[in-house]
Amino acid sequence: MKFQERVFSGMQPTGTLHLGNYLGAMLKWIDLQKTHECIYCVVDLHAITVWQDPEELRQAIRQVTASYIAAGLDPQKSILFNQSQVSAHAELAWIFNCVARLGWLGRMTQFKDKAGKDREKASVGLYAYPNLMAADILAYRATHVPVGDDQKQHLELARDIAQKFNGDFAAAIKAAGHEDGEFFPQPEPVITGPATRVMSLRDGSRKMSKSEPSDLSRINLIDDVDLIAKKIKKAKTDPEALPSETDGLSGRPEADNLVGIYAALTGTAKADVLADFGGRQFSAFKPALAELCVEKLGPIAQEVSRLMNDPAEIDRVLVDGANRARAIASPIMDEVKDIVGFIR
Ligand code: AMP
Ligand code: TRP
């Protein structure tokens, strides 16, 4: 293994975090802290690819940071910071803008979804967004990236960029002392567990998302007990009882989703949940699920609001994290500049 194992991931400070963010990404982030050097970023540069009110953005950065900490990320152990404080991200993104091809970006489904019908009006940043994401990861030469399923395509692009950079600059990379010609690693997606794609509670064919207009479609990490219970109660289901085996979930997206949520929250597999609840009606399963959500998410919401009472302390955590992040990225960026042919 040539590259030291290092974890990088990030979330956008837009809207409040929801159960999809928590189960699809954060639970894995927390787990990886035990075994790896981890860098977790609040990606504010990504956020402004669509309009953000400045004061709301500032608050959202703090709130996402508070959510990370409340959910169990340890800012002493892991590096926690907001992207714009470390200039390596924007610098490397520019270089990657010149490595990636227009055609590669044109295939990104998230751009197509987010840009909507009138693509001419989308920001240039929204189009180049995956290059910035590749820069986030590769500025630290990170090897593992825990994310939800929706980020798979962006990670494949990051791998393509790493490979093309290594290829385009092979001679300079070797001259800089990397004899095998590999400067950037191929970052590996870590997309595991029973809830890599949490679906809307109102429509099992749509992803749970911050941007979905109906708040009933998602459980936010700051929802109170009554609201969580209400949302689970109103969640769309079908009239059948739960099956006894996972095969029986196919073609039943809403049932599959709720069982996946239960499994992820208890750290088990869907099969284990069905071993307990197979043959029972949703009228029995939903209250159990609501109770579980309240038990797991209630303390997080409380801790977020406690942390938000002291914004200066959150800002201090971010500055400290940014200093530590910069210390890793700076020497890598120095080498990148030498390889590309810049003078410094
Ligand atoms: P975002 O909120 O788009 O910045 O996403 C932050 C992280 O949460 C990424 O790793 C996403 O893949 C993950 N994520 C967002 N929505 C979901 C979802 N509905 N199910 C699973 N993971 C998700
Ligand atoms: N694009 C990711 C999302 O919307 C957020 C992100 C930005 C990210 N940079 C990253 C995730 C680097 C992992 C690694 O969810």
Side-chain angles (χ1 to χ4, degrees), residues 189-221:
V190 182
I191 304 174
T192 51
T196 56
R197 190 176 180 82
V198 178
M199 307 310 279
S200 155
L201 298 179
R202 305 299 293 164
D203 176 353
S205 67
R206 295 171 67 87
K207 196 177 68 160
M208 185 178 285
S209 152
K210 295 169 193 166
S211 52
E212 182 69 33
S214 166
D215 191 56
L216 284 176
S217 70
R218 67 185 155 259
I219 292 178
N220 302 302
L221 289 191

Side-chain angles (χ1 to χ4, degrees), residues 276-297:
D276 286 346
F277 287 96
R280 316 241 332 244
Q281 298 292 334
F282 282 104
S283 54
F285 181 63
K286 278 183 168 181
L289 180 60
E291 200 179 316
L292 179 64
C293 286
V294 165
E295 179 196 320
K296 299 283 178 185
L297 303 182

Side-chain angles (χ1 to χ4, degrees), residues 9-12 17-18 20-21 23-25 29 43 129 146-151 195-199 207-210:
S9 196
M11 274 190 209
Q12 300 194 55
L17 298 186
H18 54 71
N21 299 128
L23 300 179
W29 297 13
V43 293
Y129 173 118
V147 281
D149 177 72
D150 58 342
Q151 296 302 312
T196 56
R197 190 176 180 82
V198 178
M199 307 310 279
K207 196 177 68 160
M208 185 178 285
S209 152
K210 295 169 193 166

Side-chain angles (χ1 to χ4, degrees), residues 8-12 43 46 110 129 133 136-137 145 147 151 154:
F8 184 97
S9 196
M11 274 190 209
Q12 300 194 55
V43 293
H46 278 97
Q110 185 172 303
Y129 173 118
M133 178 162 161
D136 298 339
I137 300 163
V145 185
V147 281
Q151 296 302 312
H154 289 159

Side-chain angles (χ1 to χ4, degrees), residues 154-180:
H154 289 159
L155 272 167
E156 276 157 20
L157 186 92
R159 294 166 67 89
D160 289 343
I161 290 176
Q163 194 175 12
K164 187 163 189 297
F165 182 95
N166 289 346
D168 288 354
F169 294 102
I173 289 171
K174 284 189 187 138
H178 302 276
E179 272 147 35
D180 59 3

